[in-house]
Amino acid sequence: MPMGSLLPMFSSPPGGGLGGGGGGGSSGLGIRKVAGPGAFRLTEKFVLLLAFSAFITLCFGAIFFLPDSSKLLSGVFFHSNSALQPASDHKQGLGLGNINAGGKGEEGSEGERAAAAAAAAAAADNLAKIREDHERALREAKETLQKLPEEIQRDILQEKEQVLQDKLLNKGNAGGLPHLDFRPSIGALGREPNDPEIRQKRAKIKEMMKHAWDNYKLYAWGLNELKPISKKGHSSSLFGNIQGATIVDALDTLFIMEMKDEFKEAKEWIEKNLDFNVNAEISVFEVNIRFVGGLLSAYYLSGEEIFRRKAVELGEKLLPAFHTPSGIPWALLNLKSGIGRNWPWASGGSSILAEFGTLHLEFVHLSHLSGNPVFAEKVFGIRNVLNTLDKPQGLYPNYLNPSSGQWGQHHVSVGGLGDSFYEYLLKAWLMSDKTDLEAKKMYFAAVQAIETHLIRKSSGGLTYIAEWKGGLLEHKMGHLTCFAGGMFALGAACASPELTQHHIELGAEIARTCYESYNRTAMKLGPEAFRFDGGVEAIATRQSEKYYILRPEVIETYMYMWRLTHDPKYRKWAWEAVEALEKHCRVDGGYSGLRDVYLKQESYDDVQQSFFLAETLKYLYLLFSDDDLLPLEHWIFNTEAHLLPVLRKNNQEVEENHK
């Protein structure tokens, strides 16, 4: 800033301008001292000097005697303020821009008084700003002193990470997302089955999808889920204030079923209404698999750019979840503040294996589509932490503390809390076009430990996967665990030759056990968990385990087993599930879960889960479609059945140069 703009009363000699070339310019600031009526009177000069002295005293006194002087100095000298700008840059300036150098004495007198008034006003404004900055600094200091040392350390790490993220995002957003030439993936749409009976069954499943979608649209449009008995919307706290879970979750199912009008209206809603700028806490895991996964899948199927933009936008908002000492992300995240935490019930504040281990597929694709490596770096960082830890008996406990980077309690499960971690190891290997050798090694080592310590056979000949708690087995298998049959079969081709057939057979045995869990209920739909003790096999013995919430895992395993073996029993079992769903879960307002599958009379839970449209109906539709629809050698399903293409070694879709 030119000194002339700070010292307006010291004018240049007659005939010389003050402004100079320092940026203030010569227009409006050059008060020239001339003889005659326009010259300053002595008293007026004194008044003006007095006013300016008061201004200097107030500003510099406040700056050097109030706390946090460095912050205030930067605020005065380096932050733009209209009161301190040259007159050529500010409409009012110091009130001198209207003084005519050749004016009369009366006009000069009025200009001096205006200058004095403006200077006093500017001084008052600056003092108010200084006080405001001072009070804010005191509040910040007080809040910091009230925090625990761990919280202060977390804040520092978050600020550092945020600076890094801002740099990366600014770099990426300078020209928008990198240009990408969309190429339709193989098998996004299939042909009608030749067999008339299979074609009829597939049409029935499409009608089920339409019934579920139409009622959601009628009674809960734009909300997360539907209450089909109450005929109103339902929103889980898992999504915070984000809305539209069913819309995003259903996108790819609508697409492959060629429900074009419904897909179009879903896309239009997303363009106009899907908003991630919410001040709410969300589940990182659930939002990732449903929203990020659903948007990525919709993009890869349709090529609509809105889905890519929204997926990357949401991915960026999830990055602060990784602001932990170990890099293991928090389970819960406030999307506005970026503050994370873990479930209070989770083993001393631990993160959960199935949650932080089920980000890999989506985040690798986010890097692929955005050109920003930070997403992939975060999830490979998780793997690095896991590989430094000792595994009890080769097993992965369900709890890991993000602060210490150490395991929590030694509870191991291939069902809830652990399940999709193992699934994503295998699928990371397959999605990488079989180049991610580390994922393959981790997967087969984990499967070997699971076979050794968790897989058992009942006296009735049913193979099941127990849970491991500190070395003791609990002979219980969850509905969620039933996905593992399909996983073992899918991974069989990657196993060593002597184990390939064994893994196919293991998948078939798990499928059989899960079928029995359905077949042994009154409603022919499976319970949330079933046991193998006390003289029972594949039956739920506790009331809290007898419910069915439209889950897909058994149907998922049937689909993989059908695709890999073409044994007709898997289609038979799947159709039995369709008949049970129609008989017991279908209501006028959609489809509802059941409170007890062992009763003869339905007791509804009144929720149509979004994953019923994303997973259960999609897997059923694929079971009664030809293999050319979403062939397994070209597509990977995330744990919400959203579709991600295999990233071929020679695939260079993302261009480095922005167009």
Side-chain angles (χ1 to χ4, degrees):
M1 178 178 291
M3 286 302 295
S5 64
L6 287 174
L7 302 173
M9 75 292 296
F10 295 121
S11 58
S12 59
L18 170 71
S26 60
S27 61
L29 276 178
I31 305 174
R32 293 192 295 170
K33 190 175 182 181
V34 295
F40 285 177
R41 300 183 184 88
L42 182 61
T43 55
E44 291 169 342
K45 289 182 180 179
F46 180 76
V47 169
L48 189 59
L49 183 61
L50 186 62
F52 183 76
S53 299
F55 167 72
I56 293 297
T57 302
L58 285 170
C59 288
F60 285 86
I63 289 169
F64 291 105
F65 291 98
L66 288 176
D68 204 7
S69 298
S70 61
K71 179 184 289 189
L72 300 179
L73 277 167
S74 65
V76 171
F77 286 117
F78 302 114
H79 294 180
S80 61
N81 187 297
S82 59
L84 299 178
Q85 296 300 313
S88 58
D89 295 330
H90 187 249
K91 186 175 181 180
Q92 297 281 331
L94 292 177
L96 303 179
N98 294 327
I99 297 179
N100 189 332
K104 299 181 180 179
E106 186 173 338
E107 292 173 346
S109 178
E110 291 176 357
E112 292 167 23
R113 286 195 292 270
D125 289 343
N126 275 278
L127 182 58
K129 181 179 183 301
I130 290 167
R131 286 175 176 167
E132 181 182 349
D133 287 346
H134 174 57
E135 291 171 358
R136 183 171 62 251
L138 288 176
R139 287 195 303 270
E140 291 174 357
K142 184 177 180 181
E143 291 170 0
T144 300
L145 289 172
Q146 291 175 343
K147 292 182 179 180
L148 296 173
E150 295 82 3
E151 293 177 313
I152 296 173
Q153 184 182 20
R154 185 197 308 178
D155 290 344
I156 293 170
L157 289 170
Q158 286 179 343
E159 288 180 11
K160 289 182 178 179
E161 188 71 23
Q162 189 61 50
V163 170
L164 176 61
Q165 297 303 333
D166 289 344
K167 289 180 179 178
L168 289 169
L169 295 180
N170 289 336
K171 180 180 179 182
N173 291 337
L177 290 174
H179 174 76
L180 187 146
D181 290 325
F182 176 75
R183 293 185 295 231
S185 298
I186 297 173
L189 294 173
R191 60 178 182 268
E192 286 283 330
N194 292 325
D195 187 327
E197 182 182 358
I198 298 302
R199 191 162 60 243
Q200 183 180 9
K201 289 179 176 179
R202 191 173 89 145
K204 172 58 183 176
I205 295 163
K206 182 175 178 178
E207 185 277 330
M208 294 170 69
M209 178 68 179
K210 185 166 178 58
H211 180 69
W213 177 264
D214 286 349
N215 279 284
Y216 167 76
K217 181 182 176 184
L218 181 61
Y219 299 115
W221 184 246
L223 300 177
N224 281 321
E225 291 168 319
L226 167 68
K227 295 176 77 70
I229 306 296
S230 306
K231 296 183 178 179
K232 61 182 182 180
H234 169 73
S235 288
S236 167
S237 61
L238 295 172
F239 312 118
N241 292 339
I242 300 176
Q243 297 297 323
T246 293
I247 295 174
V248 178
D249 239 356
L251 281 167
D252 49 12
T253 307
L254 294 171
F255 188 92
I256 67 169
M257 290 186 179
E258 299 187 59
M259 298 174 67
K260 297 179 181 179
D261 291 340
E262 291 83 354
F263 184 84
K264 180 181 177 182
E265 63 192 5
K267 171 180 170 274
E268 290 172 351
W269 184 91
I270 287 169
E271 286 178 318
K272 296 176 182 177
N273 300 291
L274 186 58
D275 183 14
F276 305 128
N277 296 311
V278 297
N279 184 13
E281 194 173 60
I282 54 92
S283 163
V284 175
F285 164 75
E286 293 289 353
V287 166
N288 175 65
I289 64 171
R290 301 196 202 200
F291 284 89
V292 176
L295 291 165
L296 289 172
S297 180
Y299 170 74
Y300 281 119
L301 289 170
S302 70
E304 295 285 354
E305 191 65 21
I306 181 62
F307 300 131
R308 180 167 75 123
R309 290 202 308 269
K310 286 290 185 181
V312 174
E313 177 191 348
L314 180 54
E316 289 168 352
K317 287 189 173 292
L318 296 180
L319 288 174
F322 292 85
H323 296 172
T324 66
S326 65
I328 298 296
W330 301 110
L332 303 170
L333 178 71
N334 185 294
L335 289 184
K336 182 177 182 180
S337 68
I339 295 175
R341 68 182 179 98
N342 278 333
W343 299 104
W345 48 263
S347 185
S350 291
S351 298
I352 296 169
L353 182 68
E355 295 194 338
F356 66 76
T358 309
L359 303 170
H360 194 98
L361 304 184
E362 296 84 359
F363 272 53
V364 167
H365 269 281
L366 285 174
S367 281
H368 178 69
L369 291 183
S370 69
N372 189 344
V374 68
F375 300 105
E377 289 168 357
K378 294 298 184 187
V379 290
F380 277 101
I382 293 173
R383 192 184 289 178
N384 291 339
V385 172
L386 293 174
N387 282 332
T388 64
L389 296 172
D390 291 330
K391 288 83 179 173
Q393 306 295 323
L395 298 168
Y396 289 84
N398 291 340
Y399 301 107
L400 180 60
N401 190 294
S403 297
S404 66
Q406 299 297 315
W407 299 118
Q409 68 183 83
H410 286 186
H411 175 200
V412 178
S413 169
V414 183
L417 307 182
D419 50 4
S420 46
F421 164 72
Y422 306 99
E423 173 190 358
Y424 272 40
L425 289 178
L426 171 62
K427 291 180 177 179
W429 154 249
L430 296 173
M431 193 179 78
S432 72
D433 202 13
K434 301 180 180 179
T435 61
D436 187 352
L437 297 176
E438 183 180 53
K440 178 185 180 182
K441 179 181 178 182
M442 292 172 71
Y443 170 73
F444 283 107
V447 168
Q448 183 178 352
I450 289 167
E451 275 209 79
T452 301
H453 299 289
L454 303 184
I455 293 181
R456 296 290 182 267
K457 192 178 287 283
S458 71
S459 58
L462 295 178
T463 299
Y464 64 96
I465 307 176
E467 298 189 5
W468 191 82
K469 296 184 176 181
L472 300 176
L473 285 184
E474 183 179 12
H475 298 274
K476 176 187 80 169
M477 184 169 173
H479 193 292
L480 290 166
T481 318
C482 285
F483 89 96
M487 179 183 73
F488 292 140
L490 182 63
C494 307
S496 55
E498 66 274 13
L499 292 177
T500 297
Q501 187 59 33
H502 169 67
H503 281 201
I504 287 282
E505 292 171 357
L506 182 58
E509 290 175 15
I510 296 298
R512 175 75 189 191
T513 298
C514 293
Y515 168 74
E516 289 299 328
S517 76
Y518 273 49
N519 196 45
R520 298 180 186 191
T521 70
M523 295 184 180
K524 305 303 179 185
L525 292 167
E528 181 68 5
F530 43 94
R531 295 181 179 266
F532 296 85
D533 55 21
V536 302
E537 293 188 4
I539 293 175
T541 58
R542 302 181 184 182
Q543 189 60 42
S544 61
E545 299 170 348
K546 295 181 178 181
Y547 61 89
Y548 172 72
I549 57 172
L550 308 174
R551 284 202 186 277
E553 290 79 20
V554 175
I555 307 298
E556 176 184 356
T557 279
Y558 294 167
M559 190 277 292
Y560 281 112
M561 295 306 302
W562 162 254
R563 283 284 182 97
L564 296 167
T565 69
H566 289 111
D567 187 329
K569 71 183 177 188
Y570 297 113
R571 277 183 165 174
K572 175 180 177 292
W573 292 350
W575 190 250
E576 289 177 12
V578 168
E579 293 176 326
L581 285 166
E582 288 294 279
K583 182 177 180 180
H584 298 293
C585 297
R586 182 168 180 145
V587 295
D588 289 343
Y591 289 86
S592 174
L594 302 164
R595 298 184 187 280
D596 191 334
V597 292
Y598 295 94
L599 299 177
K600 293 183 179 180
Q601 184 63 38
E602 295 86 359
S603 176
Y604 297 113
D605 69 5
D606 196 18
V607 179
Q608 179 177 283
Q609 304 279 350
S610 74
F611 56 67
F612 179 67
L613 291 80
E615 300 184 75
T616 310
L617 292 177
K618 183 188 287 112
Y619 287 133
L620 284 169
Y621 189 77
L622 292 173
L623 266 156
F624 294 96
S625 298
D626 291 343
D627 292 357
D628 66 338
L629 178 59
L630 306 177
L632 298 181
E633 61 268 27
H634 294 289
W635 292 94
I636 299 298
F637 294 85
N638 87 337
T639 200
E640 190 79 2
H642 292 311
L643 302 152
L644 301 170
V646 172
L647 296 174
R648 300 297 177 192
K649 285 177 285 191
N650 59 351
N651 189 1
Q652 299 295 330
E653 290 180 353
V654 176
E655 298 180 7
E656 299 252 340
N657 298 323
H658 294 196
K659 291 188 178 180

